Amino acid sequence: MAIYESFDEQKQFACRVIADHARTTAFAIADGILPGNEGRNYVLRKIMRRAIYQGREHLGFDGLFFNKVCDFVVELMGGAYPELVAQRDFIGKMVRLEEERFGATMTVGLQRLQNLLNKNDYDLQIGPESESIPTPGFVELSELAKLYDTFGLPIDLMYVVLKGKAPTSPDHEPGERPTFWKLRRNIGTTWEPVNETFTVVETHGYVDWDDETGMSVREYSYPLIDEVQFKELIEDELKKLQEHSTIGKTRQPESTNPAYVALSRLNYTGTEFRGYEELETSNLNILAIVRGDDRVESTEAGKECTIVLDKTPFYAESGGQVGDTGVLFGSNGLAKVVDTFSPIQGLILHKCQVEKGMLTVGDTVTATVDAKKRDATRRNHTATHLVHAALKEVLGTHVKQAGSVVSPQFLRFDFTHYQAISEMEMQEIEDLVNLHILKNEPVNTNVMAIEDAMRTGAVALFGEKYGSAVRVLSVGGGEFSRELCGGTHVRATGDIGTFKIVSDEAIASGVRRIRAITGTDAFARFREDERLIDRSLQALKTQRDNLPAAIEKLQEELKKARRENDDLKMKIATGAASGGSEGDEPRDVNGVKVIAKVVEGLDKSGMRHLSDTLMAKLKSGVVILGRAEDDKVSFIVRVSDDLTDRVKAGGIVQQIAPIVSGRGGGKPDMAEGGGTDAGKLAEALEASHGVIASMLGA
């Protein structure tokens, strides 16, 4: 009998999930889709992590296993799909990296979740014996969604942690302290709860006798939503997060409105683009003018509008390349074109600011593109193709474009890659691009059927829409770079001038972003670098070849001075420098020693260190420290272990923080809080003595 058949239903389900998701994972990565936090990359990550979680949770796999299953997929299906075999090593590497990342983020993510709960937790005093149970504040759904998105915490695991154990459940043991959380979400300007509370009559656990009913009762806040509803809430929050994400995205055209749809019907043959051949076109007819959402017959000086022409040399934003700017002028008026875009295929719209006279539907005008900006954009666009080809050659064939922006000032290229680019690799990429620039290779364009283009090996971008005929751009003979592209380009690579990468960063898991400059912008950058180096040499009074060493020496001296300064601040704060300071002598509150004082010059870490020092001196007591900086107040409260059954640090913070218009909370032995009314810091610290006295039953 096969092992699978001996498994129970849950384990068999886990096996099927892993098998199905491993097949999807192997094919997706072979196609250049890597696990990430956006779009299809995010879908792949969810698929992979679901499979890994099933294996760990239900099949008992502690180590890496999913990469082995994916490798079996390659072995099993590689004969029919040779691209799997070609990418075998890369698939294995990416799956192992995601497995390792998932294991690490699960640990960190659970800690972050616990920290989130601790931050919202406060203690409720109950019963004649002054017992306490953790009673929750609100937990924001957006924070839970961030944990799920960033760390991959399974939704069912988060639900279990938040739900705790119901007091009426069979596995609830006497003396247990279940925690139940209220969820809330942002609905614009306010927050709303998404679950209610109810009262539970408890027959065991904490005792709180009701004289009238003769029963033990306790009220708990308990989420009435089930796991399915919880999942839906989290996914709604995830959509909000992703709506604000820019990973892999280029500039977006303006939203399509009904007026544009009507214009597309008017100009049903499409605006003829003349910008490949010329930068100025005469005898153009104004077909329509739009102001806001309404079509108008004319527009005068000082007005903004959108103009449709029958032909145009202006390139509309597409494929990452920004729209052209320039002027439209005729016998009756002149308008500055500030952007060109195409919300509907075939319809090119010119966003204009009328500067002189009046423009009217039916007028004949001349359109002139800003040649300087167009030339700079063309340089950056052709350089983008060279960068794409160089990345593939240096880093590997797994590199795929994941978004781009081509503007006159710079180029930005997002691409799939699983690790940081080394200094040597970066130099090799730059050298390779500049080598092809120095060769001054011709840049050729050919229009051909999409099937013919793909047979030539031209690179097409995943997710782009192509018609039956496409424009193929080749550098030289196309051996180094050949891609489908409808943008504008230089005549030969030498026109680019020079190429310089100015930044490289990771923008998501498996996705990196390069920014680069070309032509006169690159030369300007070189001059600026030289100026900064010269000023640094003068300031440090050193030679050029000794500049890094001089900076390192200065940094070490600065670190040493900061350490000495921090040590001095700590000595002053603890009274060591002067043999004692005001506020260090504890006040007796019903037999408990309490130090409540304002500290200055310490950061958050310094306050914690000082609280440790003062608590060590007290051995038994309460330490309350307050700090004001930039009109903001922060507290830290420490309670010695022998007093936590009577005095709760979280309770102290929760009562003194509102005095400074703030909030806070924490554990019985340590809590933190803050506020915005620095003028009442001393009042809050003084009030802490009364809070402690109340807790002690005075």
Side-chain angles (χ1 to χ4, degrees):
M1 182 176 68
I3 296 177
Y4 174 82
E5 295 175 356
S6 66
F7 286 163
D8 60 26
E9 184 177 348
Q10 178 61 64
K11 288 185 176 181
Q12 288 186 350
F13 174 77
C15 289
R16 293 195 298 273
V17 169
I18 293 169
D20 179 73
H21 290 5
R23 185 172 61 249
T24 301
T25 298
F27 277 93
I29 293 177
D31 283 341
I33 303 172
L34 303 182
N37 292 336
E38 185 74 21
R40 59 184 184 270
N41 309 89
Y42 184 64
V43 173
L44 176 59
R45 166 164 284 173
K46 288 176 68 176
I47 287 172
M48 294 177 69
R49 293 193 168 184
R50 182 169 184 250
I52 297 167
Y53 177 68
Q54 288 288 332
R56 294 188 176 196
E57 182 71 14
H58 301 298
L59 299 180
F61 296 143
D62 294 329
L64 304 181
F65 74 92
F66 193 55
N67 64 94
K68 299 174 184 177
V69 184
C70 292
D71 190 63
F72 179 73
V73 172
V74 176
E75 184 177 332
L76 187 67
M77 309 186 75
Y81 300 95
E83 63 269 23
L84 291 176
V85 179
Q87 298 287 346
R88 186 171 197 160
D89 292 341
F90 180 63
I91 292 170
K93 181 179 291 187
M94 288 308 306
V95 177
R96 281 194 301 274
L97 284 172
E98 186 64 20
E99 278 195 279
E100 292 168 355
R101 185 181 293 111
F102 182 61
T105 55
M106 275 286 287
T107 302
V108 177
L110 283 171
Q111 182 61 48
R112 291 287 183 90
L113 177 58
Q114 192 59 54
N115 291 342
L116 179 64
L117 303 188
N118 291 341
K119 182 178 70 174
N120 288 281
D121 194 24
Y122 60 90
D123 293 322
L124 175 67
Q125 302 294 328
I126 60 172
E129 300 178 7
S130 296
E131 296 170 346
S132 68
I133 61 172
T135 305
F138 282 107
V139 179
E140 298 170 10
L141 277 167
S142 58
E143 294 296 326
L144 297 178
K146 289 177 184 176
L147 287 176
Y148 174 69
D149 187 50
T150 303
F151 298 102
L153 288 183
I155 289 179
D156 53 352
L157 178 61
M158 285 201 296
Y159 182 77
V160 169
V161 172
L162 292 165
K163 176 181 176 183
K165 294 180 179 179
T168 54
S169 65
D171 55 354
H172 178 66
E173 298 296 334
E176 246 183 337
R177 298 184 175 189
T179 301
F180 306 106
W181 298 90
K182 301 176 185 178
L183 304 176
R184 68 178 185 179
R185 60 185 164 192
N186 193 333
I187 56 173
T189 58
T190 59
W191 294 85
E192 69 168 12
V194 295
N195 57 304
E196 304 297 334
T197 63
F198 66 88
T199 301
V200 175
V201 178
E202 188 177 4
T203 58
H204 51 262
Y206 295 105
V207 176
D208 188 13
W209 191 259
D210 188 307
D211 292 329
E212 294 184 6
T213 62
M215 298 178 64
S216 171
V217 298
R218 184 74 68 251
E219 288 189 5
Y220 289 99
S221 298
Y222 182 77
L224 300 181
I225 59 174
D226 58 26
E227 186 175 344
V228 174
Q229 293 170 317
F230 180 70
K231 181 178 180 181
E232 292 173 350
L233 288 168
I234 293 293
E235 290 179 344
D236 286 344
E237 292 297 325
L238 281 171
K239 290 178 182 177
K240 295 177 184 177
L241 284 176
Q242 293 173 358
E243 283 174 0
H244 294 88
S245 173
T246 59
I247 293 173
K249 295 180 180 178
T250 59
R251 292 178 63 227
Q252 297 299 309
E254 295 198 11
S255 301
T256 304
N257 66 34
Y260 298 161
V261 176
L263 289 176
S264 68
R265 296 194 184 104
L266 167 74
N267 193 27
Y268 61 92
T269 59
T271 305
E272 181 185 347
F273 177 60
R274 305 287 295 275
Y276 293 134
E277 302 83 16
E278 55 196 30
L279 294 179
E280 181 174 290
T281 306
S282 303
N283 298 319
L284 305 179
N285 296 319
I286 297 180
L287 299 182
I289 301 174
V290 176
R291 279 212 305 262
D293 293 337
D294 301 320
R295 288 178 58 184
V296 296
E297 287 300 311
S298 62
T299 183
E300 64 275 10
K303 299 291 186 179
E304 293 184 355
C305 64
T306 301
I307 293 177
V308 182
L309 304 172
D310 58 345
K311 298 182 289 291
T312 182
F314 287 86
Y315 182 84
E317 177 185 343
S318 178
Q321 180 175 332
V322 301
D324 279 332
T325 61
V327 293
L328 296 177
F329 63 91
S331 57
N332 298 322
L334 178 147
K336 183 178 180 180
V337 179
V338 296
D339 193 14
T340 311
F341 60 101
S342 179
I344 299 174
Q345 188 173 4
L347 177 67
I348 297 178
L349 301 180
H350 308 77
K351 180 181 282 188
C352 299
Q353 174 75 41
V354 181
E355 296 191 340
K356 293 181 181 179
M358 176 179 292
L359 293 177
T360 304
V361 174
D363 280 356
T364 299
V365 295
T366 297
T368 303
V369 175
D370 186 323
K372 184 177 179 180
K373 288 186 177 180
R374 166 70 81 82
D375 287 343
T377 303
R378 289 194 294 195
R379 287 194 293 268
N380 286 333
H381 202 159
T382 306
T384 299
H385 285 237
L386 296 178
V387 168
H388 194 184
L391 288 168
K392 285 178 175 291
E393 185 157 322
V394 175
L395 303 180
T397 57
H398 63 274
V399 169
K400 300 287 191 301
Q401 181 174 336
S404 72
V405 170
V406 179
S407 74
Q409 296 80 25
F410 67 91
L411 67 90
R412 192 193 80 192
F413 190 76
D414 301 342
F415 59 98
T416 56
H417 189 52
Y418 50 84
Q419 63 186 20
I421 302 176
S422 69
E423 183 178 347
M424 184 175 295
E425 288 172 331
M426 189 67 69
Q427 182 176 325
E428 191 175 349
I429 293 166
E430 283 188 340
D431 288 347
L432 193 54
V433 173
N434 280 302
L435 174 64
H436 283 275
I437 291 173
L438 289 173
K439 287 183 177 180
N440 197 27
E441 298 170 304
V443 177
N444 303 307
T445 57
N446 295 287
V447 178
M448 60 182 72
I450 182 69
E451 297 83 3
D452 295 335
M454 300 311 295
R455 278 194 287 269
T456 68
V459 175
L461 300 184
F462 187 92
E464 287 287 333
K465 296 179 179 179
Y466 297 104
S468 57
V470 294
R471 198 162 177 264
V472 180
L473 183 98
S474 303
V475 175
E479 295 83 3
F480 182 65
S481 173
R482 179 184 281 120
E483 294 188 34
L484 306 186
C485 182
T488 60
H489 291 270
V490 297
R491 294 179 296 275
T493 57
D495 295 346
I496 298 172
T498 190
F499 168 84
K500 182 72 178 75
I501 295 174
V502 294
S503 69
D504 161 56
E505 60 181 333
I507 59 171
S509 176
V511 182
R512 302 195 67 81
R513 172 173 292 170
I514 276 181
R515 291 179 183 268
I517 50 180
T518 63
T520 55
D521 291 308
F523 286 118
R525 175 62 177 256
F526 296 150
R527 283 195 296 267
E528 177 67 13
D529 289 348
E530 286 296 312
R531 188 180 68 83
L532 292 174
I533 291 172
D534 288 341
R535 289 181 60 186
S536 301
L537 293 174
Q538 293 173 11
L540 295 173
K541 295 180 173 58
T542 188
Q543 300 299 316
R544 190 182 186 92
D545 58 352
N546 193 49
L547 181 58
I551 294 174
E552 289 175 5
K553 181 181 178 181
L554 185 63
Q555 288 289 333
E556 287 300 320
E557 292 174 352
L558 181 59
K559 288 179 183 178
K560 182 180 178 181
R562 283 176 174 170
R563 285 195 298 267
E564 292 173 349
N565 186 44
D566 290 341
D567 290 343
L568 181 59
K569 286 180 180 179
M570 188 60 64
K571 287 178 181 179
I572 294 173
T574 57
S578 60
S581 62
E582 184 180 354
D584 284 346
E585 291 301 319
R587 183 188 299 187
D588 186 283
V589 178
N590 288 9
V592 173
K593 291 182 287 185
V594 179
I595 293 178
K597 62 177 292 184
V598 177
V599 296
E600 297 179 355
L602 296 182
D603 58 12
K604 192 173 184 180
S605 176
M607 284 182 65
R608 288 180 177 176
H609 187 191
L610 178 59
S611 71
D612 290 338
T613 302
L614 294 176
M615 182 56 70
K617 286 183 177 181
L618 285 182
K619 293 185 174 57
S620 174
V622 180
V623 174
I624 306 167
L625 303 178
R627 175 176 67 103
E629 184 178 8
D630 298 330
D631 296 328
K632 293 184 179 179
V633 178
S634 59
F635 294 110
I636 184 168
V637 179
R638 298 290 302 277
V639 178
S640 58
D641 292 340
D642 62 312
L643 296 174
T644 53
D645 59 336
R646 295 187 293 158
V647 180
K648 308 293 183 183
I652 296 173
V653 170
Q654 286 195 350
Q655 293 193 53
I656 66 174
I659 297 175
V660 293
S661 302
R663 55 180 295 185
K667 298 179 181 179
D669 62 333
M670 186 178 79
E672 295 179 294
T676 57
D677 192 348
K680 293 186 177 180
L681 173 57
E683 179 185 340
L685 291 175
E686 183 61 32
S688 65
H689 297 97
V691 173
I692 295 170
S694 176
M695 290 182 174
L696 293 170

